[in-house]
Amino acid sequence: MKLIPILVFASLPLLSACGGSDSTSPTGVSGAMSFGHTGGGGPFSAAGALAASSTEATQHLTQWAAGVVATELNSTFVLANYPRPGGLADLAVLAIGRMTTGVATVDRMCVPTVSVACTNLFFVLGSPLGDSAPSSSCFLESGTVTIASISSSAATGSFSGVGTCLNFTTGASVAFTVTSGSFDVPLLPSIPGAT
C-alpha cells in the first residue's frame, strides 16, 4: 500500500499520451479543484489554466486544475497543482473509473495507469520538482467520486472519503479524511509538458 502513491505520481507522465474525448479541447481554459482534509494541513484549493505550451517546471510553479479522459483506461483524471514557497508544490490527482456521469467507488488498491477503470484520490504535499520525495503523500481507502456532468470539453463533480497520509520525513502515518471535494475542469486532449 505504501508504494501506491509513489507509483501513481511516478507514472503521471503517461497521462500525456492519454487521448482526450475531443482532440480540439482547449488548453488555457481555467479549472478548479478543492477539498477539505485532515492529515496533511488545511484545505486544498487550486484554480487556474494550464497552457498548451507549459513545461513540467511551469506546471510545478503554477496554480492550475484540468482534466483528461483516458479512453483506453475507461477513466477520467482530474489534476490540480498548488505551488508552495521554496519551489515545492502540492499536487492532487483524482482518478475516476468512468467517463460518464454517475458515482464511482474508491478502490484502495487503485493504480490508475496499471489497473483499468479504478477510482482514488492521490495527494502529494511539499513535492519538489524532479524525482525527490515529497514531504508526505495521501490516498483514500474508501469513499466515492461523483461525476455530475461531463462533455467533450469539461467535467464537474464531487468526492469524499477516508484514507491515510504517509510522512516521508518521519515515517509516520496518520488518518486522511476528505470532505466537500469538488471539481470543475476543462478536459484537455493530454496534459501538456508531461514528458
Side-chain angles (χ1 to χ4, degrees):
M1 278 298 292
K2 292 184 179 184
L3 291 178
I4 289 176
I6 297 169
L7 291 172
V8 169
F9 285 97
S11 61
L12 280 179
L14 295 177
L15 290 178
S16 65
C18 292
S21 56
D22 178 357
S23 63
T24 63
S25 296
T27 54
V29 177
S30 187
M33 178 187 207
S34 65
F35 55 93
H37 67 92
T38 62
F44 175 83
S45 181
L50 184 59
S53 61
S54 69
T55 63
E56 185 180 358
T58 302
Q59 288 180 28
H60 187 78
L61 299 173
T62 305
Q63 185 179 163
W64 56 269
V68 62
V69 172
T71 53
E72 66 279 11
L73 296 176
N74 192 34
S75 297
T76 304
F77 292 87
V78 177
L79 300 89
N81 188 74
Y82 187 86
R84 298 286 185 189
L88 302 177
D90 296 345
L91 176 67
V93 176
L94 185 61
I96 311 166
R98 61 183 307 128
M99 301 184 303
T100 58
T101 59
V103 179
T105 302
V106 166
D107 175 359
R108 65 188 302 263
M109 298 304 291
C110 178
V111 179
T113 57
V114 177
S115 301
V116 174
C118 65
T119 301
N120 210 320
L121 171 69
F122 303 95
F123 184 42
V124 169
L125 295 98
S127 177
L129 182 62
D131 295 331
S132 300
S135 61
S136 60
S137 179
C138 309
F139 55 96
L140 294 178
E141 295 172 356
S142 64
T144 58
V145 179
T146 301
I147 297 179
S149 68
I150 189 165
S151 69
S152 62
S153 60
T156 66
S158 59
F159 56 97
S160 62
V162 296
T164 303
C165 284
L166 306 169
N167 185 307
F168 291 109
T169 303
T170 66
S173 63
V174 297
F176 177 52
T177 302
V178 172
T179 58
S180 304
S182 67
F183 60 90
D184 184 348
V185 294
L187 293 176
L188 307 182
S190 64
I191 299 300
T195 58

